[in-house]
Amino acid sequence: MPEGARVVLATRNAGKVRELRQLLAGAVPGLDVDAAVVDAGAVGAPDVVEDGVTFEQNALKKARAVAAHTGLIAVADDSGLAVDVLGGAPGIFSARWSGAHGEDRANLELLLAQLADVPDAHRGAEFVCAAALAVPSTPDARGVHSIHFTHVEHGRLRGTLLRAPVGEGGFGYDPILRPTGRDETTAQLSSAEKNAISHRGHAFRALLPYLVDALAARS
């Protein structure tokens, strides 16, 4: 266990860890966020199968599993793109819409092909995120941690889907979603601009007071 680790973010995505550290910086007096917030790989947490049928179920499953494995406070998120005319799809299948997990370009191209005949006025969509917190109890006589508190918050970013990718930043479907009220796609925004309006930023900021309380209770 890394020295000073207090919160595990159930991901191996360095960008997500950096974002959570930025949110926590200054929120807990004296907290060394670089040491306190670690990813799942740093604590040897196992990969969790995301077999829930909602973003919330998947986020909670990951947070609970990592908290029970490590005995540390755990935060997890699950997110994706919900397209109006597809009834909310790709949804929880966003990362594997074309069949293979994480094939961003293939996922994006398939979605654009499926929406080719949809008029601009009906190309509404939103990025959706569920962020979950799980706080473990002290271990029992066998050293097993149970979970005594969980909480979930949600975030959304509404926009319109373009007909071709624009922008080099971000990942996934960022190059084809133009947020409502903006002239750029999310792939054209700086990291700071994106975090300020993103679905994940909204969800993490809403979860922050509960995470701060949990850290204070365990200090």
Side-chain angles (χ1 to χ4, degrees):
M1 188 76 65
E3 185 177 354
R6 298 185 62 188
V7 180
V8 182
L9 185 56
T11 183
R12 287 171 171 77
N13 185 315
K16 291 184 180 182
V17 175
R18 183 170 56 252
E19 183 178 333
L20 185 58
R21 285 172 175 164
Q22 290 171 347
L23 288 172
L24 269 175
V28 181
L31 182 68
D32 179 355
V33 294
D34 289 334
V37 181
V38 297
D39 67 15
V43 293
D47 290 331
V48 179
V49 177
E50 298 178 35
D51 54 3
V53 297
T54 65
F55 294 118
E56 180 170 327
Q57 287 178 5
N58 284 332
L60 270 173
K61 183 179 182 182
K62 289 189 288 185
R64 293 176 66 92
V66 171
H69 177 81
T70 64
L72 298 174
I73 297 167
V75 174
D77 80 284
D78 191 34
S79 58
L81 179 70
V83 180
D84 296 351
V85 297
L86 296 181
I92 60 171
F93 303 108
S94 294
R96 53 188 184 275
W97 191 234
S98 62
H101 191 281
E103 296 291 340
D104 285 358
R105 188 72 188 188
N107 292 334
L108 188 152
E109 290 177 350
L110 175 59
L111 183 65
L112 287 178
Q114 292 168 327
L115 300 175
D117 296 330
V118 177
D120 291 348
H122 299 287
R123 297 176 72 87
E126 61 183 7
F127 284 130
V128 181
C129 175
L133 169 71
V135 182
S137 65
T138 54
D140 61 19
R142 298 169 298 156
V144 176
H145 296 274
S146 60
I147 306 300
H148 83 271
F149 177 77
T150 60
H151 186 79
V152 179
E153 291 286 349
H154 298 85
R156 288 176 168 78
L157 176 61
R158 284 292 303 176
T160 302
L161 295 177
L162 305 185
R163 296 185 176 275
V166 178
E168 301 297 328
F171 58 92
Y173 301 94
D174 281 343
I176 60 171
L177 186 94
R178 184 175 62 211
T180 301
R182 305 292 297 236
D183 294 325
E184 314 94 336
T185 68
T186 46
Q188 293 176 287
L189 301 177
S190 68
S191 295
E193 289 174 320
K194 183 181 174 184
N195 290 342
I197 65 172
S198 77
H199 52 308
R200 188 173 295 108
H202 286 308
F204 277 176
R205 282 190 291 274
L207 193 69
L208 187 60
Y210 300 91
L211 175 54
V212 170
D213 286 349
L215 282 166
R218 290 167 67 93
S219 61

